[in-house]
Amino acid sequence: MSTELQPHPRRWVGLAVLSLSLLVVMMDMTILNVALPELTRDVRPTSVELLWIVDAYSLVVAGVLVTAAALGDRFGRRRLLITGYAIFGVVSLAIVLADGAGTIIALRALLGVGGAMIMPATLAMIRTLFTDARERGMALGVWAAVAGGGAGLGPVVGGALLEAFSWHAAFLVNVPLMAVAVVAAVALLPESRSARPGRIDAASVVLSLAGMAGLVYAIKELGKHGFEPGAAIVGAVGVVALTAFVRRSLRSPQPMLDVRLLAGRRFRAGVVTAVSAMFAMGALFLLGAQHLQLIEGLSPLAAGLWLLPAAGASVVASLLAPPLAERTSARATLSAGLATSALGFLLLFALPIDLLTLVVAMSVVGLGTGTLSIASALIMSDTPAEKAGSAAAIEETSYEFGMVLSIAILGTVAAALYRAGLPADATPAVRESLAAALGSSEAFGPAAAAFTDSLAWTGLAGAVVIGAAAVAVWRLAAPRPDARPRGLVVPDPR
């Protein structure tokens, strides 16, 4: 019997270790949102510095993901994980020494390096630890549930810490958790590497880093500020670099990232679902948190608690999706999940927006995005074990692009509609953000109404986009004539 079919005896314990590290990384992606106001009051960064404090992490993650996955394939994924854990813990501790915005930006960038090492390694190791297709589906369901739960817990944990401590606590909470993760990984995780690792060459590293980081940066900047020549040039450079990287990968017999995986229809269906799910969550949770705090008047902790039902719905759906897909099909489950998220967006447009409507709509969206576990199963089940690192890098990149596109597209739509709904005599500051109107009773009423209207119409835009994605996934995931018609985790026969 081939080793590919032999389950690892410590696979479930390994999953627990991988889930712990994933929980910390996902919490760190959202915990900063509630710490930003106090950090801003204490450090007083300029507007440009504040943007870099927020964006440095995601830009570095996007740029380093491909190289990190390739390093794990060649030198060992457990080794890469432990290095990522160590970087995450040490950098989080170093935040105590931060004396200005520049230091915080640098530390956030280093956290991105650690995150880029951790995220794809967790997925790749699940692919190699769980050789049984059904067990892998269950493991990926747990992985997706932890991801959704971690993102939802971030604002709650951050709000609770800020009730008692300074903004530094939002970073320091990572230190003991990562110390536990390092010890557990050394003691419990087996080493895993590719039997045929891709060739890591300087040109591919530079092209992937410049391409991914440049394109993500351009999308963010164009989404926030509209057309700017500088951002457009950076985006064009990113596109050229990525094109050159893809062409170089296609020419190489052992590329650093095997982009040929995208030729599979089921693989592409999983990628489209991953992008769409993150697109659904990104801007909606950002706008929803603003509505809860600025219009409903909730504290950061209370707002985080009201966001928990959406995260809980995502967790439940992640665990239920694999058995549902086994009873029906991956195609039906993925498309139904995206259609459910589209319905959640549509509720924002169809119903008067208040606290109950917002929480219900976000929970319905969260319920739909729980099918990310099925997307992961399609991506990983259609990938040979030796290509697990490439598949994980592509999937994680899909998450990054989905989130960035959500903020850029839906965030831009919401901002434009908000400004269009303001009175003609609104001040420039109020036109920039709803928060600027808080100090004026005369300005806040019209600004709050404009923000609520913009959220409703953004719901319609989100419903259209996610609905179109549901149709696309239905068509992409259609089984080939020789494929088995049912089930989530049985790969199409070759």
Side-chain angles (χ1 to χ4, degrees), residues 3-8 11 15 18 73 77 119-133 135-137 139-140 143 192-193 261 267 376-392 395 489 491 494:
T3 57
E4 170 68 8
L5 300 178
Q6 295 173 354
H8 196 281
R11 59 194 180 281
L15 178 62
L18 297 174
D73 283 350
R77 292 161 189 147
M119 294 291 283
T122 60
L123 270 175
M125 291 195 74
I126 288 174
R127 171 65 183 86
T128 55
L129 282 174
F130 291 88
T131 55
D132 178 79
E135 284 192 351
R136 188 188 308 133
L140 289 170
W143 184 91
S192 165
R193 55 173 56 88
L261 293 171
F267 191 99
S376 293
L378 280 187
I379 291 170
M380 289 299 170
S381 293
D382 271 20
T383 301
E386 65 269 16
K387 298 296 183 183
S390 287
E395 182 172 347
V489 290
R494 300 302 179 191

Side-chain angles (χ1 to χ4, degrees), residues 248-325:
R248 186 178 184 86
S249 298
L250 291 174
R251 289 196 303 266
S252 174
Q254 287 183 282
M256 193 169 80
L257 179 73
D258 192 353
V259 295
R260 298 178 185 88
L261 293 171
L262 288 166
R265 288 172 60 88
R266 282 160 49 97
F267 191 99
R268 291 205 306 274
V271 169
V272 171
T273 302
V275 172
S276 302
M278 298 309 293
F279 184 92
M281 289 189 288
L284 179 60
F285 277 69
L286 177 62
L287 295 171
Q290 289 184 56
H291 189 281
L292 290 173
Q293 293 186 61
L294 300 177
I295 295 181
E296 300 295 338
L298 301 178
S299 68
L301 177 57
L305 290 171
W306 277 108
L307 291 174
L308 276 182
S314 179
V315 169
V316 171
S318 298
L319 297 174
L320 294 180
L324 177 62

Side-chain angles (χ1 to χ4, degrees), residues 55-324:
D55 292 342
Y57 180 87
S58 60
L59 288 176
V60 172
V61 167
V64 177
L65 264 176
V66 172
T67 302
L71 288 172
D73 283 350
R74 179 168 291 275
F75 298 109
R77 292 161 189 147
R78 185 184 75 157
R79 185 174 297 170
L80 187 76
L81 265 178
I82 293 171
T83 304
Y85 294 162
I87 291 174
F88 223 83
V90 171
V91 173
S92 297
L93 182 61
I95 200 71
V96 175
L97 305 176
D99 57 358
T103 305
I104 296 174
I105 292 169
L107 292 175
R108 286 277 292 167
L110 287 173
L111 280 176
V113 174
M117 292 179 172
I118 293 169
M119 294 291 283
T122 60
L123 270 175
M125 291 195 74
I126 288 174
R127 171 65 183 86
T128 55
L129 282 174
F130 291 88
T131 55
D132 178 79
R134 284 179 173 79
E135 284 192 351
R136 188 188 308 133
M138 294 171 60
L140 289 170
V142 172
W143 184 91
V146 171
L153 281 175
V156 177
V157 173
L161 289 171
L162 289 173
E163 293 284 333
F165 306 103
S166 71
W167 60 267
H168 298 83
F171 293 90
L172 292 175
V173 68
N174 298 329
V175 178
L177 295 174
M178 282 302 167
V180 171
V182 168
V183 174
V186 171
L188 301 173
L189 284 180
E191 187 55 277
S192 165
R193 55 173 56 88
S194 173
R196 296 182 59 199
R199 188 170 64 90
I200 302 175
D201 60 287
S204 294
V205 170
V206 172
L207 288 172
S208 66
L209 196 156
M212 289 295 300
L215 188 56
V216 168
Y217 172 81
I219 294 172
K220 282 176 173 283
E221 289 301 299
L222 294 173
K224 290 172 185 173
H225 308 296
F227 181 81
E228 290 184 344
I233 292 172
V234 172
V237 171
V239 170
V240 170
L242 280 179
T243 302
F245 174 76
V246 169
R247 295 182 65 178
R248 186 178 184 86
S249 298
L250 291 174
R251 289 196 303 266
S252 174
Q254 287 183 282
M256 193 169 80
L257 179 73
D258 192 353
V259 295
R260 298 178 185 88
L261 293 171
L262 288 166
R265 288 172 60 88
R266 282 160 49 97
F267 191 99
R268 291 205 306 274
V271 169
V272 171
T273 302
V275 172
S276 302
M278 298 309 293
F279 184 92
M281 289 189 288
L284 179 60
F285 277 69
L286 177 62
L287 295 171
Q290 289 184 56
H291 189 281
L292 290 173
Q293 293 186 61
L294 300 177
I295 295 181
E296 300 295 338
L298 301 178
S299 68
L301 177 57
L305 290 171
W306 277 108
L307 291 174
L308 276 182
S314 179
V315 169
V316 171
S318 298
L319 297 174
L320 294 180
L324 177 62

